[in-house]
Amino acid sequence: MFLKKPFAAFSLLAAFSCAIAEIHHFPKTYDLVDVNWRISIDEPTRTITGDVINTIRPLEGNTTSVTFDAGRLDISRVTVDGKSAEFTTGNELLVVNLPSPAAKGQTLKIETFYSAQPQAGVYFIPAKRAFPAHTSVVYTQGEMIDTRYWIPTYDWPDNKATFESYIEVPKGYYALSNGKLIGVQHNGDKDVYHWKLDQPSSTYLLSFVAGKYFEGQDAGADIPTYYYVPEGLGEMGEAAFGGTSKIVDFYGKILDFKYPYAKFSQAAVPDYMFGGMENVTCVTQTITALYPHRTEPVTDSTGLVAHELAHQWFGDTLTCVDWKNAWLNEGFASFMPVFWTREKSGEEAFDLERLDVFNGGYFSQAGGQRAVVWDQVEEPIDLFDGVLYPGGASRLFMLMYKLGEKPFWKGMHDYLEQYQYQNVDTDKFIEAMSKSSGVDLKPFEEQWLLNKQVPSLTLSMEGANLLIKQPARGFDFPLDYWIWNDNVWVKKSIEINSIETRIDMGALAGKPVLLDPEVHCMVPPTYKMDYSADTWMALYRNAPNAAEKQRIVQAGFGSLSSSQKVALAKEEKSFRLLNEILDTLGGDQIDFIFSETLSAEPRVVDQAIQVLQRVIEASKVGEMANQASIQTRLTDIWKKSANDRLRSDALQALVALTKDEKLVNEAWNTDSYNDGFRTFAIRWWKQNKPDAARETCLDVMENPPSEAVRVAAIRALGGLKDKGSDDRVFNWLIKVANESSFGAKTAAINALADYGNPAAIKTLNPMTHNSLHFIRRSAQSAITRLGGKAQN
């Protein structure tokens, strides 16, 4: 699973905590061997009707009953090996009494007939809410524990079973599911799609997507590679998902373990709560990942695609045994795409992306709230944060550096071979890598995966001694430090194993030093050194790689004058590093910032425009000597560029410069692939003309131009509120909060908290028991902000 903003999407920990195992988790008394399911969807009523045969084998003899997860499903009948069986339901569980006691290992086929109008698990998106699509879509989302809301089965990751599905949909729909398409049966105005997955997988990876879909095949991989987008969006699907086949083959090559399934597919769905989900062989992606080619390279979904694809090895072929070990899924899937970046874009891009991973992982864990391997959370979703994603990936980068890249990839191959189609935990991974490499990695596990803390590194001088301070307990690791001496690097290493490491510099005392200069450690050094601006410039120019240059920008550019920063920017050949330097500049270098809007590299143009807007917003209109030139350039981009992303950023900077509402009106009347111009207009009116914004947003509620604009209007209305005795805003927010949507519903719940009327608590209280965790959490938070307390 990939969150669009994985490091900020959730509060890291709830105010109280409990072990994951306490959340509806019954004792496992059987192995689930196969899940054979049939489902029919009814869009007008938002209902599903299905039956499932769970094939199980008891783990003990004399078994008299078995339990399945069955979240709020209406169970009508259960059979065991074709014989009717008594059953009870409650607490989101189905307990089946066996007609006769079963022996250990005996194969039982338990068939359950059911129906539901799910709040979670299955999502019905009507055409009017499917923007930019124009057709309805039905999809599932199982991770973490939501498969139970559409199939009664064993809904925890510590089991592997084969899948077979029969999905009945209206004629003209396509139904995508796990494994290989066996066939399609045509029954009057219905079609039944038959899929089969032969390799065992965990049930949170069960899925289907159904609707009027365009199928694109991305030729080139050793296995069939497809993408599915709603009708009319084929060009955007190709832009977002084209080239996936190359990554499929690359991962197979670098891991020496080929893609292990019959096909790889991606399907884009609207109103999705995540960036993507690694459902085995058929990834579900957010429709917001789609974009037209004209917005490239400023817009790019390669990272999302590469992340979900990596899960087919790590998360699907190998699956964490429980959610506390979920870094084995998410950390690995955040690690692998960086190597595709290296393959596609070179070492510089690789180094900078690795540094981004390090920074995300480090600052998510700084403060010691939890370890990478952790189970003290309220719900499994609380684990899916920056500690898990870049934090997990950071450990893999450091492990690779410790072992060497060749032994590391051999270990990864051996790990996959040993545990393919099995559940794994952190101990198994560490043991596999230790065995393969011949290196005892238990200390690495204790320090970097089980320790709540992360180290900190502070560099200073005391006379002729270099001091490295690291106050966190339980860490012992090597660290490189390089000394810049007469235009030559003197390269040394030290073992960090105490709170303070003291190094006698001898004849090199006073020379500039870089700690971890090649950036192999996730811990960012803090320099308490009296380096001059000239020294920082020399260190930047002679840094061993782009990642260290970026660290120097972060650590040392505060000592540089703006003209010195510009001097380095003019020398810089890397657009990525140029953008980093641009971001440090202020209004006294507006001429240089402006000049970069003329760059041939669109990503530099985009960064320059954004920095220009920041400078403009911090300045007084009329004080900028080149204001006319800036206005002309921004207008030119807004009016003439084919790139919607550049146009959008230019428009926002232009409005900040001119304060001209005519431009906002132009934005409101301009179409774009994501309706971003209209959503900007709503934000601007809310900030600058709240009365007009209120009426516009209320008009949107009556007749929305798109779902994107409707959600933007809902978010704005909470702060705009009603005037006087008018209650239209409040009533609309209540109405939308009661919808079955996801994005609009959560926006309305949060807007009701902004609105501040405690009368909303009556509406919000039932939502604290909603099946979907996002709705529960949003409602609980809103009630607290309104001064109330959720009722049981």
Side-chain angles (χ1 to χ4, degrees):
M1 180 176 63
F2 185 85
L3 309 172
K4 276 294 186 182
K5 295 182 179 177
F7 321 140
F10 311 105
S11 61
L12 297 188
L13 293 173
F16 65 97
S17 62
C18 64
I20 287 175
E22 295 175 3
I23 304 173
H24 303 305
H25 202 342
F26 55 87
K28 190 173 188 289
T29 61
Y30 57 84
D31 282 329
L32 179 67
V33 179
D34 182 71
V35 184
N36 185 310
W37 54 278
R38 298 170 181 267
I39 200 163
S40 178
I41 62 174
D42 185 79
E43 290 182 279
T45 61
R46 304 178 60 83
T47 59
I48 58 172
T49 304
D51 72 88
V52 57
I53 302 172
N54 287 296
T55 301
I56 69 164
R57 295 190 183 115
L59 296 174
E60 300 293 339
N62 200 35
T63 297
T64 58
S65 67
V66 293
T67 302
F68 298 105
D69 296 293
R72 306 185 188 185
L73 300 173
D74 295 321
I75 311 295
S76 59
R77 186 161 63 97
V78 177
T79 66
V80 178
D81 293 336
K83 298 177 181 179
S84 292
E86 294 182 353
F87 63 92
T88 58
T89 60
N91 204 26
E92 299 196 350
L93 299 175
L94 165 66
V95 180
V96 179
N97 297 318
L98 302 180
S100 58
K104 178 180 179 180
Q106 179 181 345
T107 298
L108 301 174
K109 291 186 178 294
I110 301 177
E111 185 166 14
T112 305
F113 299 84
Y114 64 97
S115 62
Q117 192 177 50
Q119 292 178 327
V122 176
Y123 302 89
F124 293 82
I125 315 301
K128 65 181 180 181
R129 292 212 302 263
F131 178 84
H134 301 285
T135 60
S136 61
V137 173
V138 183
Y139 69 87
T140 63
Q141 171 60 37
E143 193 178 30
M144 274 53 65
I145 49 174
D146 285 358
T147 295
R148 66 191 65 193
Y149 294 112
W150 66 281
I151 291 183
T153 190
Y154 184 82
D155 191 23
W156 295 92
D158 61 330
N159 194 102
K160 293 274 192 167
T162 52
F163 304 156
E164 188 164 6
S165 62
Y166 299 83
I167 308 159
E168 184 181 71
V169 294
K171 185 172 290 294
Y173 276 30
Y174 188 86
L176 175 68
S177 192
N178 313 102
K180 182 178 181 180
L181 181 62
I182 304 302
V184 183
Q185 182 179 351
H186 305 290
N187 295 332
D189 63 349
K190 302 285 187 180
D191 289 336
V192 178
Y193 283 79
H194 178 192
W195 293 86
K196 194 171 191 298
L197 178 73
D198 293 322
Q199 299 87 346
S201 187
S202 294
T203 54
Y204 74 89
L205 299 165
L206 271 167
S207 74
F208 75 84
V209 171
K212 292 184 178 180
Y213 271 87
F214 166 84
E215 177 185 275
Q217 182 164 9
D218 188 49
D222 291 338
I223 55 95
T225 304
Y226 303 95
Y227 59 86
Y228 296 87
V229 293
E231 286 183 347
L233 303 181
E235 186 263 339
M236 291 204 292
E238 196 280 327
F241 304 138
T244 301
S245 60
K246 295 182 177 65
I247 316 177
V248 174
D249 286 347
F250 171 75
Y251 282 170
K253 180 180 178 181
I254 197 170
L255 292 165
D256 190 24
F257 191 99
K258 288 187 176 182
Y259 181 85
Y261 303 105
K263 62 118 176 20
F264 178 69
S265 296
Q266 301 172 89
V269 302
D271 202 23
Y272 196 42
M273 64 282 298
F274 296 119
M277 176 62 207
E278 63 270 20
N279 301 310
V280 58
T281 77
C282 52
V283 164
T284 305
Q285 304 279 31
T286 173
I287 205 167
T288 60
L290 304 183
Y291 57 85
H293 279 295
R294 66 178 182 271
T295 65
E296 296 170 335
V298 182
T299 308
D300 185 6
S301 292
T302 301
L304 174 62
V305 170
H307 178 99
E308 301 306 337
L309 174 59
H311 271 307
Q312 303 300 303
W313 284 265
F314 303 105
D316 295 5
T317 302
L318 308 184
T319 307
C320 61
V321 71
D322 51 31
W323 295 119
K324 76 177 183 181
N325 284 281
W327 84 279
L328 295 170
N329 296 8
E330 300 300 345
F332 283 59
S334 301
F335 172 76
M336 293 294 296
V338 189
F339 293 89
W340 173 246
T341 296
R342 181 173 70 179
E343 178 75 5
K344 183 181 178 183
S345 303
E347 288 292 335
E348 173 201 290
F350 171 78
D351 288 337
L352 291 171
E353 200 166 307
R354 184 181 74 245
L355 177 59
D356 284 346
V357 168
F358 279 165
N359 287 341
Y362 182 80
F363 291 109
S364 292
Q365 196 174 352
Q369 290 183 297
R370 72 171 182 87
V372 174
V373 181
W374 192 251
D375 68 355
Q376 298 302 305
V377 291
E378 182 182 355
E379 294 191 63
I381 189 66
D382 295 322
L383 289 165
F384 286 69
D385 59 11
V387 178
L388 203 67
Y389 288 75
S394 295
R395 274 59 178 194
L396 293 173
F397 277 117
M398 292 193 296
L399 182 59
M400 185 179 75
Y401 180 59
K402 179 181 181 67
L403 298 178
E405 186 163 350
K406 187 174 180 180
F408 174 84
W409 289 119
K410 180 183 181 298
M412 293 280 272
H413 164 81
D414 294 347
Y415 171 58
L416 283 162
E417 287 285 354
Q418 182 175 356
Y419 293 112
Q420 59 182 311
Y421 311 126
Q422 297 180 47
N423 292 108
V424 289
D425 60 18
T426 301
D427 285 343
K428 287 181 178 178
F429 170 66
I430 293 297
E431 288 166 5
M433 296 297 287
S434 296
K435 180 180 178 181
S436 178
S437 65
V439 177
D440 179 12
L441 295 175
K442 204 68 180 173
F444 182 91
E445 178 184 15
E446 293 289 336
Q447 290 181 102
W448 294 104
L449 295 167
L450 305 181
N451 195 333
K452 289 171 61 175
Q453 293 183 304
V454 283
S456 61
L457 293 167
T458 302
L459 196 69
S460 62
M461 289 295 296
E462 187 177 285
N465 292 318
L466 180 70
L467 299 183
I468 304 173
K469 293 186 177 181
Q470 194 298 102
R473 302 290 180 179
F475 285 91
D476 183 346
F477 57 97
L479 202 66
D480 295 335
Y481 66 99
W482 291 9
I483 306 159
W484 185 242
N485 181 42
D486 296 332
N487 296 320
V488 175
W489 285 115
V490 179
K491 302 177 183 181
K492 296 180 177 290
S493 293
I494 191 72
E495 192 75 17
I496 302 297
N497 53 20
S498 61
I499 292 175
E500 181 178 284
T501 302
R502 186 178 293 264
I503 304 167
D504 185 352
M505 297 287 284
L508 296 174
K511 300 293 184 179
V513 178
L514 288 179
L515 203 58
D516 184 30
E518 295 179 298
V519 190
H520 292 301
C521 180
M522 70 181 293
V523 185
T526 298
Y527 290 89
K528 292 190 174 180
M529 311 283 277
D530 190 21
Y531 291 163
S532 68
D534 286 341
T535 296
W536 280 118
M537 291 179 74
L539 291 173
Y540 180 88
R541 287 180 172 125
N542 294 282
N545 62 31
E548 181 59 23
K549 284 192 170 188
Q550 184 170 326
R551 273 190 172 172
I552 290 170
V553 171
Q554 296 163 349
F557 267 42
S559 301
L560 272 60
S561 68
S562 58
S563 60
Q564 288 172 319
K565 295 175 187 177
V566 168
L568 290 176
K570 288 180 177 178
E571 297 173 9
E572 188 54 67
K573 301 268 192 299
S574 162
F575 78 85
R576 298 175 178 87
L577 288 168
L578 173 57
N579 280 351
E580 291 294 324
I581 299 174
L582 275 171
D583 201 42
T584 70
L585 299 178
D588 59 339
Q589 288 297 333
I590 198 163
D591 286 345
F592 177 73
I593 300 167
F594 169 69
S595 71
E596 293 306 311
T597 67
L598 301 169
S599 171
E601 169 53 65
R603 287 163 288 194
V604 172
V605 175
D606 190 56
Q607 177 76 350
I609 292 170
Q610 293 182 54
V611 174
L612 264 184
Q613 182 177 347
R614 171 169 53 79
V615 169
I616 289 166
E617 289 173 343
S619 305
K620 293 181 179 179
V621 176
E623 289 185 354
M624 297 162 57
N626 53 355
Q627 181 171 330
S629 298
I630 293 172
Q631 183 172 339
T632 298
R633 175 59 179 152
L634 293 175
T635 301
D636 190 57
I637 296 172
W638 159 236
K639 295 288 188 182
K640 298 178 182 179
S641 175
N643 191 318
D644 285 2
R645 283 288 302 275
L646 292 181
R647 292 186 69 206
S648 178
D649 287 339
L651 170 67
Q652 293 179 57
L654 190 59
V655 171
L657 178 67
T658 64
K659 308 294 190 292
D660 186 355
E661 191 180 357
K662 291 179 181 178
L663 291 167
V664 182
N665 292 329
E666 284 183 36
W668 182 252
N669 291 303
T670 302
D671 294 330
S672 66
Y673 76 100
N674 61 1
D675 230 344
F677 299 129
R678 291 189 182 93
T679 57
F680 160 69
I682 285 177
R683 293 194 304 271
W684 190 89
W685 281 323
K686 178 189 176 185
Q687 183 176 354
N688 295 280
K689 300 189 72 174
D691 290 344
R694 183 184 305 104
E695 294 306 313
T696 298
C697 290
L698 288 169
D699 288 344
V700 167
M701 301 311 294
E702 294 282 356
N703 187 25
S706 71
E707 184 68 358
V709 176
R710 188 173 80 112
V711 172
I714 293 165
R715 289 173 177 155
L717 282 171
L720 293 168
K721 306 184 181 182
D722 284 304
K723 291 190 72 174
S725 60
D726 192 0
D727 59 2
R728 290 177 297 160
V729 169
F730 184 75
N731 289 340
W732 265 113
L733 294 179
I734 292 292
K735 181 179 180 179
V736 178
N738 282 308
E739 281 184 1
S740 56
S741 60
F742 168 70
K745 184 183 183 78
T746 52
I749 293 170
N750 295 331
L752 282 168
D754 294 338
Y755 190 99
N757 186 347
I761 293 175
K762 182 178 179 181
T763 296
L764 295 171
N765 256 321
M767 299 177 195
T768 62
H769 302 286
N770 193 281
S771 299
L772 183 60
H773 47 264
F774 289 117
I775 302 299
R776 290 196 301 271
R777 288 290 181 81
S778 294
Q780 290 163 355
S781 174
I783 289 169
T784 300
R785 290 175 60 194
L786 291 169
K789 186 176 181 181
Q791 302 297 312
N792 293 327

